[in-house]
């Protein structure tokens, strides 16, 4: 008896986490989603302010459609939202931090903990 060659499908989609959903963060996410280099999706968002997160989500979803796939359970509000956002990423995914510089010392250890790439945006 011979068995066919079967293998599990791999998911090589780069997942992006956006931490800080104001204008700079939304612009950085738009830049990331505009790339042509491979499959990418915005999969998680975090902000201290719910209205900023919701506004960013709506604008990005309208512009990029299915590339923005952030279910409600991956929208994190509050000062610890960045931790939850990073914990959803797998190694090789990308975190965009567009928060005020005063918070960088708190945020900086998180991406390396998950072996994720990190982009720090200036205000």
């Amino acid at each position: 008896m011979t068995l066919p060659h079967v293998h599990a499908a791999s998911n090589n989609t780069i997942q992006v986490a956006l931490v800080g959903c104001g204008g700079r963060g939304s612009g950085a996410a738009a830049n990331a989603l505009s790339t042509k280099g491979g499959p990418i999706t915005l999969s998680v968002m975090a902000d201290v302010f719910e209205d900023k997160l919701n506004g960013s989500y709506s604008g990005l979803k309208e512009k990029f459609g299915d590339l923005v796939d952030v279910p409600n359970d991956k929208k994190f509000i509050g000062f610890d939202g960045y931790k939850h956002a990073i914990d959803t990423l797998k190694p090789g995914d990308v975190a965009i931090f567009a928060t005020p510089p005063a918070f960088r010392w708190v945020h900086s250890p998180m991406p390396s903990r998950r072996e994720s790439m990190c982009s720090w945006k200036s205000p």
Side-chain angles (χ1 to χ4, degrees), residues 19-78:
V19 179
C21 300
R24 183 66 190 110
S26 298
N31 289 343
L33 294 172
S34 297
T35 62
K36 305 292 183 214
I40 189 168
T41 183
L42 179 64
S43 63
V44 61
M45 300 173 79
D47 201 284
V48 174
F49 303 105
E50 187 172 9
D51 61 324
K52 291 280 189 191
L53 188 148
N54 290 336
S56 177
Y57 173 80
S58 296
L60 291 167
K61 184 71 171 174
E62 182 178 321
K63 184 171 182 177
F64 295 100
D66 290 341
L67 294 179
V68 178
D69 183 19
V70 186
N72 287 333
D73 66 336
K74 289 192 176 183
K75 294 177 182 175
F76 301 105
I77 306 298

Side-chain angles (χ1 to χ4, degrees), residues 5 7 19 24 33 42 44 50 53 63 74 77 83 86 97 104 106 110 113 118 120:
H5 295 286
H7 58 86
V19 179
R24 183 66 190 110
L33 294 172
L42 179 64
V44 61
E50 187 172 9
L53 188 148
K63 184 171 182 177
K74 289 192 176 183
I77 306 298
K83 291 180 187 177
I86 297 302
F97 282 84
R104 302 276 166 85
V106 175
M110 292 301 295
R113 199 177 96 192
C118 185
W120 300 96

Side-chain angles (χ1 to χ4, degrees), residues 77-111:
I77 306 298
F79 285 105
D80 65 344
Y82 74 98
K83 291 180 187 177
H84 303 297
I86 297 302
D87 283 342
T88 68
L89 299 178
K90 64 186 185 312
D93 286 339
V94 175
I96 298 171
F97 282 84
T99 56
F103 294 102
R104 302 276 166 85
W105 69 274
V106 175
H107 297 158
S108 62
M110 292 301 295

